[in-house]
Amino acid sequence: MTTTERLATAPRADRQPSFLAKAFGITAVLSAAGSGLGLLRDLLLARYFGADKGTDAFLVSWTVPETAAPLLIEDAMAFLMVPAFSLALVLREERPDGPDPVRQLTGATLPWLIAALCGLSGATMLWAPQLVHVLAPGLASPRLAVTCTRFTAVTIVPFGLAGYFAAALRAHHRFSAPAAIYVAYNVGILAVLAVCHSLLGVRSAALGVAFGSLLMAGVLVGPFARMLHRGRAGHRGKDGGGRPLLLSPLALLPVAAFTLTRQSQVFIERYLGSALPPGTISHLNYAAKVSQLAMTTAILICTVTFPLVARALAAGDLTAARDRVEKDLGHAAAVVLAGMAFLFACAPAVVDLLFQRGAFGFADTAATAQVIRVYSFGLLAQALIGVMVRPFFSMRPAVRRADDPRDDGGGGRLFDWFPVAAMVLGLAVTTLVGLACAARFGALGVAGGNAAGITTTAVLLLRGLALRGIALRTRRVLIGQARLILAAAGATAAGLAACDAVGTGLPAVLAGGAAVLAAYLVLGALLGARELTGPANRVRALLRLNRGPEGAGPAPRLQEGTLRDGR
């Protein structure tokens, strides 16, 4: 019996598609709102402060929340605590007359987490001068960067609490509040920027980051407290006593190490950029923010399908896991390459439309657009890494039952560190290319090192999946990627021609975007890219099935996994 068949026979399986669709819809809408507010935040930064030594100083301080967010909210905390709370809920159902495992888990972990976060935040404030010197030794305004760093160090505590609360709520299938945290975060930043920018200068941005992080945690405090209260009210046992489950904190180490090494690309960029003319770090930052917008949909695809991969791996169905990963690689590539073609073709028009106002001048637009074009060469690798890293970390349990006799050690655990090793090698490439090219090409050399390093990591992870036991059909995957890349290359040429014919501003963005999309779809169909032709074929087939023969009414819906004859 395959994983799909087991799911089909599970209780309440008919509700799973609608539940996943609802969760995806809520997450997508609120994530898009958070991304939109984040873009507005960057627009205000550019409008108020432009790209100079002051914004460089702030962006060095922003390294703290940029590092804390993936570590404490997204990757490491989620991989550790979502399985922990999920198992606690299972134990609560199995032992309704015993101590509440959810409250036990919270009591055992939350105080230690708060103490660790407070210590880390205090240490960052205390050692802010040394941290700034390490991150950007050639910075033109180091004292300003130290002040901003002490403001942004506040974010460590609320970020950690937000990640913990969000993990608990998601384990209870409550997605609205966790999906809204970045909306609250950016609203806080925007509010402080709008009120204080003329009085405090770029320091207002750092203060806004701290205030936004407090709002982020505040959004989740109420839902988390209500979750605990309702669980206690519905649980007949007394709290305290017993050891229903055991955490394995060491399982956090590979995830944390990978997150930090991946974030180290930003450290390297800012280190190299600090030795270049003032404004270079700002140009790199604005370009990165625009480029990452092309990743939003691809990341959502990975987020929604990750439970399917984890479920298949937990069931030992490596074939189903392989098929799902191959599909995700194709779908993520199809989305990201469309964004890459658009950004490369329309980068000057996009930056002109978004940023060129106030203190952000024509020279800043030209520099940022050039960096975007170089960054775009690494977007595909970024998306593929997001798909491939999940199978590695979903196979190591971070929590187990107290009565489970299995030893959670073993030589196979060494493969958990493969993504870290791949990322370290990628960072080495980033550093070498950046050092070799920064002096001659400036920000473009730094961006080129980023693209080369992340591509190296993606190639290594593609090989590493086979070592992990997920033997991808590499030839099939690479052929599919090649078809999409060729379609994207043709779409880029069409977009460049359209933008050159129209000029700049909104008309150029619309004309270039339409040309890129049309050429991408047509060329993809001609080249036989299933990721582009498949959805259109399914829509046409669905329309024919719903219409059915004339006068016969809608055709009956087939159950997933069956053929037309019912087999």
Side-chain angles (χ1 to χ4, degrees):
M1 182 179 291
T2 66
T3 301
T4 302
E5 292 169 336
R6 282 192 292 271
L7 289 173
T9 59
R12 299 167 65 187
D14 57 322
R15 296 179 58 184
Q16 187 184 50
S18 61
F19 170 76
L20 290 176
K22 181 179 178 181
F24 177 81
I26 292 172
T27 303
V29 169
L30 291 175
S31 296
S35 297
L37 291 171
L39 178 60
L40 179 59
R41 172 201 67 206
D42 294 330
L43 295 180
L44 286 183
L45 284 172
R47 180 183 181 88
Y48 292 150
F49 311 119
D52 57 16
K53 62 182 182 180
T55 55
D56 286 354
F58 164 68
L59 291 172
V60 169
S61 75
W62 207 350
T63 304
V64 174
E66 279 184 323
T67 304
L71 185 64
L72 298 175
I73 299 175
E74 297 157 12
D75 294 333
M77 186 70 75
F79 275 107
L80 182 67
M81 296 312 302
V82 169
F85 277 106
S86 298
L87 182 54
L89 288 171
V90 172
L91 292 174
R92 174 193 280 176
E93 294 176 356
E94 292 179 354
R95 306 170 186 176
D97 297 324
D100 184 5
V102 175
R103 294 180 65 84
Q104 284 186 320
L105 177 62
T106 303
T109 56
L110 187 55
W112 289 100
L113 175 66
I114 293 174
L117 293 173
C118 290
L120 185 57
S121 179
T124 304
M125 293 181 186
L126 180 63
W127 293 328
Q130 291 80 4
L131 181 61
V132 168
H133 179 72
V134 170
L135 291 175
L139 198 63
S141 299
R143 293 182 63 183
L144 178 60
V146 170
T147 300
C148 292
T149 299
R150 285 176 171 151
F151 282 142
T152 58
V154 174
T155 62
I156 293 174
V157 177
F159 274 15
L161 293 176
Y164 186 92
F165 296 157
L169 290 168
R170 288 180 178 130
H172 284 73
H173 293 172
R174 298 175 187 176
F175 294 92
S176 299
I181 57 177
Y182 284 105
V183 174
Y185 177 56
N186 285 310
V187 164
I189 298 175
L190 291 170
V192 176
L193 267 178
V195 174
C196 302
H197 71 276
S198 59
L199 179 64
L200 299 177
V202 78
R203 294 175 183 84
S204 63
L207 186 62
V209 169
F211 178 64
S213 69
L214 295 174
L215 292 183
M216 174 186 284
V219 166
L220 300 180
V221 170
F224 179 77
R226 288 193 295 272
M227 177 204 76
L228 286 182
H229 178 72
R230 290 171 183 171
R232 182 178 186 180
H235 196 71
R236 297 190 295 273
K238 298 180 180 180
D239 295 335
R243 299 182 67 196
L245 51 85
L246 295 176
L247 285 173
S248 301
L250 292 180
L252 175 66
L253 293 180
V255 183
F258 176 80
T259 302
L260 290 174
T261 51
R262 189 171 183 178
Q263 186 63 25
S264 295
Q265 280 201 311
V266 178
F267 304 160
I268 294 170
E269 285 188 1
R270 290 178 182 168
Y271 182 91
L272 296 174
S274 68
L276 298 174
T280 298
I281 294 178
S282 300
H283 295 148
L284 290 167
N285 173 75
Y286 293 134
K289 292 296 188 294
V290 173
S291 300
Q292 289 303 314
L293 291 176
M295 298 288 296
T296 301
T297 305
I299 294 301
L300 285 179
I301 291 172
C302 300
T303 301
V304 171
T305 60
F306 171 51
L308 301 178
V309 177
R311 181 71 175 265
L313 290 173
D317 193 346
L318 296 181
T319 300
R322 179 203 65 189
D323 293 344
R324 183 70 260 171
V325 171
E326 288 180 352
K327 289 178 181 178
D328 289 349
L329 289 172
H331 293 155
V335 172
V336 170
L337 285 170
M340 172 183 168
F342 170 72
L343 288 176
F344 194 96
C346 308
V350 170
V351 177
D352 174 66
L353 178 65
L354 293 178
F355 295 106
Q356 190 171 317
R357 57 183 62 84
F360 197 94
F362 176 79
D364 296 319
T365 295
T368 303
Q370 289 179 329
V371 176
I372 287 175
R373 283 176 165 167
V374 178
Y375 267 145
S376 65
F377 288 104
L379 288 179
L380 176 60
Q382 293 276 13
L384 298 187
I385 287 173
V387 175
M388 292 186 290
V389 75
R390 283 162 169 76
F392 285 93
F393 295 137
S394 63
M395 295 181 71
R396 176 178 175 88
V399 64
R400 60 188 176 91
R401 298 171 184 263
D403 55 358
D404 189 345
R406 291 177 301 173
D407 179 12
D408 77 338
R413 302 300 184 187
L414 291 176
F415 286 117
D416 294 339
W417 293 90
F418 188 95
V420 181
M423 195 67 237
V424 168
L425 291 175
L427 286 176
V429 174
T430 297
T431 303
L432 293 175
V433 174
L435 288 172
C437 300
R440 180 176 181 182
F441 299 104
L444 299 183
V446 177
N450 182 302
I454 203 66
T455 301
T456 300
T457 300
V459 172
L460 292 173
L461 282 178
L462 185 63
R463 171 58 181 163
L465 279 176
L467 300 176
R468 191 61 159 166
I470 304 175
L472 297 180
R473 289 165 288 192
T474 307
R475 177 182 174 86
R476 180 177 179 178
V477 170
L478 293 180
I479 290 176
Q481 299 283 314
R483 288 170 176 161
L484 292 170
I485 290 172
L486 289 175
T492 301
L496 284 169
C499 284
D500 289 342
V502 174
T504 61
L506 181 60
V509 172
L510 295 176
V516 166
L517 181 60
Y520 187 57
L521 294 176
V522 170
L523 290 174
L526 293 176
L527 292 169
R530 292 174 299 173
E531 293 79 12
L532 300 180
T533 59
N537 292 336
R538 283 194 290 272
V539 170
R540 287 195 294 268
L542 181 61
L543 292 175
R544 286 197 299 267
L545 286 173
N546 287 333
R547 188 165 56 244
E550 185 175 355
R557 295 179 63 183
L558 298 176
Q559 186 177 357
E560 183 180 2
T562 61
L563 301 178
R564 292 295 300 272
D565 60 2
R567 289 186 289 117

